[in-house]
Amino acid sequence: MSILNPIRQTPLPLFRKEMLERAARPRTYTVRRIYALLFFALILWQYHRLVHLGGSPPGAHNVRGLEALGKGEVLFGMAVGTQIWGIYLFLPAMMAGVFAGERERGTLSLLFTTPLSTRSIVVEKYLAAIVPMLIILSLTFVVGGFASFLGGLTATGVAIGTSILLLTATATGAITLFASALAATTVKAYLTSLVLLVVYIGIREFMIAPLFAQWGVDAFGLICFHFFTTIILLFAAWVVLDRLASGSSNTRLSLFQRLDRLLDHLNKRFGGVEFRFHREDLPRDAPLLWREQHRRQLSKSRYQMRYFLILEIVAIALAWFNPTSLTLVSITAWIVTALILVSQAASLFPAERNAQTLGILLTTPMPRSRMLLEKALGLLPLAALLSILILTLALFRWRELQGSSDPHLAPHFFATELIHVLVFPPFFIALGLAVSIHARQAFQAIVIALAILVVCSVHPIVLRFLVPSIPWSEATFVYASPALTLCAHHWETDFHQTHILAHGIAITASLALTLALYGWAVHRTHDLAAEH
C-alpha cells in the first residue's frame, strides 16, 4: 500500500489538519474569549441605551426595563450590526496568514508536492479559516434568545439576520483569501485585504444596492452579488496559486509591470508625456531612509501610487454620486489610514528580526534617535498619499457646506481637517513604532498596536458606561479619544468651533503623546542594543 493512500482516502485532509492545529493553539481560545467579551459588552451598552430611549423620567428606575418590551427585533438587529463590524475587523486578521503565512514559513512549496490539487487546497484552506468565524458568529443566537423574550422578534427577522451574517462572512473571507494568495507576507496580505474590503463595501453600498433597489430586487440582488463575489474571488485565488505552483511568483509586481508596459506603449504611440514618481538615486546622508524606500519593489512610490489611485477613484465616485455618504466615507478613510499606518509601523523591527539584520543595524554608528526617525520617515510618502485622500474628501465637504445655511463653517472645517491630518498620522506611526521595538513577530506587533489604538479610542465610552457617576462634560468626553474627536468633526461640523480651547488642548496633548511615544521608543532601542 502506498504511503500516500491515507491522504487520498481521508476526506478533506487539509481541512482536518488546519482545524486540529487551530484547536491545539491557546491563542484560538484567547481570541474567542476577547471577542465574546467585547461583543457582549457592546450589546449590554446598546441594550442600556435601548432601555433609556423610551423617555422614562430619570427617577423612574422601576419602569425603565419596560421600555425595551417589544423591541427584540431592534436588539437583534444591533447584534447583527455589531457582528458585521466584527467580521470586517477580525476576519481579515484571522485569515491573512492562510497562504502568506505558508510563504513566510517556506512551507507553501511543500504543500504543492502533496497529491491535493490546487483547487482542493484553496477550498479546504478557505473552509478551515471560515468555520472558526462561524463559530464566533453563533454568539448572535444567544442575543437572539434574549431578544425573543422581549418580544417583536420574528422568525423572518432571524432568518434575514443569519443570512446577512453568513453572506458577509463568506464574501469577506474570500476577499482575504485572495489577498493572502497575492501577498508575500502576512502584513501585506492584511493591508491588501483592507483595501479590497473598503472597495468592495463602497461598490456594494453606494453603487450595487441603489441599483437593485430601483429594480425592486434589492434583497435577492444583494444575495446574488455576495454569492458571485465569493465564487469569483475563490476562483481568482485558485488561479494565483496555480501560477505559484507552476513557478510564477510576485503576481502583483508582475501585474504592475505589465500595466507599465501597456501604458508606456500607449504613451509612446499617442502621448509622449511621462511622470516619474520615483528616482533611482543614492542614499547620500540618509542611508536608512533610502534603504526603507528601496528594499522592496512594491514599497516604491510608483507602486504605492497605484493603491492610492484606486482608493482615490472610489472615494471621489462615492462623494460625487452619493453626497449623503460623504461623512461615512470620510470616517472610513480615517479608519483605513489608521489601520495601514499602525500596521506598517508595527512591522518595521519584526521585519529586521526575521531578516536577521537587526543586530547589524544596531552596530552601526548611527544615533538611535536618528535611526528611528529615518524608519518613521520611510512611511512618510504613504502617510502623505493617505492624507491627500482625506483632504480630497474634505474639499467635497467644503463644497457641500458652502451651499448650506452656514457657509462660514466651510473654511473652518477644512482648516480643522488639515490640522488633524498633520497631527494624527504621526501619532499612528509613533504608536506602531513603539510597539514594534520588542515584538518578535510582525503580526503580533500589529495586533498589540491595534488593540492599544482601540482602547485609546473607546475608553471614554467604557468609563462612562461602567462609572456613570463621573461628571463628564461634553468636550472632555469627546476630546479624550482621537476617534471621537474625528467623529465629532464630521458629524457635528460646528462642534470644534464651539469648543476651540478644548480642541486646542486635545491637539497639543496628541502632539505631546506622539513625542512621548517616540522618546520611549528611543529609550527602548538603547536597551535593545544592550541585549545584542
Side-chain angles (χ1 to χ4, degrees):
M1 179 183 293
S2 172
I3 193 172
L4 296 178
N5 280 342
I7 298 179
R8 293 194 183 99
Q9 295 171 1
T10 304
L12 302 177
L14 187 58
F15 172 75
R16 295 182 64 186
K17 168 186 169 294
E18 292 287 330
M19 293 302 293
L20 289 174
E21 287 182 354
R22 290 176 183 271
R25 294 175 193 157
R27 185 178 63 183
T28 301
Y29 306 99
T30 303
V31 170
R32 289 179 184 176
R33 292 189 189 101
I34 294 174
Y35 187 98
L37 182 63
L38 291 174
F39 174 70
F40 285 122
L42 287 172
I43 292 300
L44 285 174
W45 176 61
Q46 291 171 344
Y47 176 72
H48 178 76
R49 292 180 64 245
L50 182 66
V51 168
H52 290 77
L53 285 178
S56 297
H61 294 281
N62 57 334
V63 299
R64 279 183 178 176
L66 299 178
E67 304 294 346
L69 294 179
K71 297 181 179 179
E73 190 164 358
V74 177
L75 183 62
F76 186 73
M78 292 178 178
V80 171
T82 304
Q83 288 281 37
I84 289 175
W85 279 106
I87 291 171
Y88 291 152
L89 294 176
F90 278 80
L91 191 55
M94 293 168 60
M95 290 187 64
V98 169
F99 291 119
E102 298 277 0
R103 276 182 172 179
E104 288 179 313
R105 295 187 296 269
T107 56
L108 187 60
S109 57
L110 295 177
L111 193 60
F112 292 142
T113 62
T114 63
L116 297 174
S117 64
T118 311
R119 181 180 58 188
S120 299
I121 292 173
V122 170
V123 172
E124 293 185 37
K125 281 278 193 179
Y126 175 73
L127 291 176
I130 207 72
V131 166
M133 191 69 213
L134 297 181
I135 294 174
I136 292 176
L137 293 181
S138 63
L139 295 173
T140 312
F141 296 107
V142 178
V143 181
F146 177 72
S148 64
F149 286 105
L150 297 179
L153 181 61
T154 62
T156 304
V158 174
I160 292 175
T162 305
S163 302
I164 291 174
L165 289 179
L166 288 175
L167 292 170
T168 304
T170 52
T172 305
I175 291 172
T176 310
L177 191 76
F178 175 64
S180 186
L182 283 177
T185 63
T186 304
V187 176
K188 290 180 182 178
Y190 178 64
L191 297 178
T192 304
S193 66
L194 290 179
V195 173
L196 294 176
L197 193 59
V198 169
V199 174
Y200 169 75
I201 294 172
I203 293 174
R204 184 194 68 195
E205 293 295 328
F206 305 112
M207 295 182 183
I208 301 297
L211 184 63
F212 286 148
Q214 290 179 359
W215 294 347
V217 291
D218 45 352
F220 178 74
L222 287 177
I223 290 174
C224 294
F225 178 69
H226 277 287
F227 177 76
F228 285 112
T229 300
T230 303
I231 297 300
I232 290 171
L233 288 173
L234 289 178
F235 177 77
W238 172 41
V239 171
V240 172
L241 277 186
D242 203 44
R243 286 176 53 83
L244 290 175
S246 62
S248 301
S249 60
N250 212 335
T251 309
R252 285 183 302 164
L253 182 57
S254 175
L255 178 63
F256 285 152
Q257 288 173 344
R258 291 182 182 182
L259 181 62
D260 284 341
R261 287 195 293 269
L262 174 62
L263 295 178
D264 193 38
H265 172 72
L266 295 175
N267 190 36
K268 289 178 180 178
R269 187 176 180 88
F270 301 106
V273 179
E274 184 176 359
F275 294 94
R276 290 190 178 272
F277 300 114
H278 185 77
R279 186 180 61 189
E280 298 292 344
D281 53 354
L282 295 176
R284 297 184 182 179
D285 55 351
L288 190 56
L289 174 60
W290 181 87
R291 175 175 173 266
E292 289 295 321
Q293 294 178 344
H294 290 76
R295 63 189 305 179
R296 296 181 301 271
Q297 286 289 331
L298 292 175
S299 65
K300 294 181 180 179
S301 56
R302 65 173 174 266
Y303 295 117
Q304 291 178 351
M305 184 64 69
R306 269 69 169 187
Y307 291 108
F308 165 73
L309 288 176
I310 292 173
L311 292 175
E312 185 82 359
I313 290 171
V314 172
I316 291 176
L318 294 177
W320 187 270
F321 294 106
N322 194 351
T324 58
S325 66
L326 191 56
T327 299
L328 181 60
V329 173
S330 299
I331 293 175
T332 303
W334 270 110
I335 293 174
V336 171
T337 299
L339 291 175
I340 291 177
L341 292 181
V342 170
S343 301
Q344 289 281 23
S347 63
L348 289 176
F349 279 93
E352 299 285 355
R353 281 193 173 90
N354 292 335
Q356 298 182 355
T357 56
L358 183 59
I360 299 174
L361 185 63
L362 293 174
T363 58
T364 60
M366 182 182 295
R368 302 291 177 258
S369 57
R370 181 177 174 183
M371 180 187 301
L372 286 175
L373 182 61
E374 292 192 18
K375 279 275 190 184
L377 289 177
L379 296 175
L380 189 60
L382 180 60
L385 292 177
L386 294 170
S387 299
I388 292 172
L389 172 65
I390 293 171
L391 292 177
T392 302
L393 296 171
L395 287 175
F396 277 94
R397 189 64 183 275
W398 186 347
R399 178 169 169 252
E400 178 187 340
L401 289 173
Q402 281 183 328
S404 66
S405 57
D406 295 319
H408 66 280
L409 292 176
H412 182 270
F413 175 85
F414 187 82
T416 305
E417 190 76 336
L418 183 60
I419 293 172
H420 291 165
V421 161
L422 294 175
V423 171
F424 289 119
F427 167 71
F428 299 147
I429 294 174
L431 174 61
L433 194 63
V435 172
S436 74
I437 297 295
H438 282 283
R440 298 293 175 185
Q441 298 177 355
F443 194 68
Q444 176 189 16
I446 291 173
V447 171
I448 294 174
L450 291 179
I452 294 174
L453 184 62
V454 169
V455 170
C456 291
S457 300
V458 304
H459 75 275
I461 299 175
V462 176
L463 288 177
R464 194 173 192 175
F465 174 71
L466 296 178
V467 191
S469 59
I470 297 179
W472 291 90
S473 66
E474 190 178 20
T476 304
F477 178 74
V478 169
Y479 292 129
S481 161
L484 294 179
T485 301
L486 294 172
C487 289
H489 176 55
H490 288 278
W491 276 324
E492 297 184 28
T493 312
D494 60 343
F495 185 86
H496 296 314
Q497 191 173 12
T498 309
H499 305 86
I500 294 180
L501 179 60
H503 184 234
I505 294 174
I507 293 298
T508 305
S510 299
L511 290 173
L513 183 57
T514 301
L515 293 175
L517 287 170
Y518 177 73
W520 186 83
V522 172
H523 173 70
R524 298 300 294 175
T525 308
H526 285 287
D527 296 341
L528 195 63
E531 293 176 6
H532 281 73

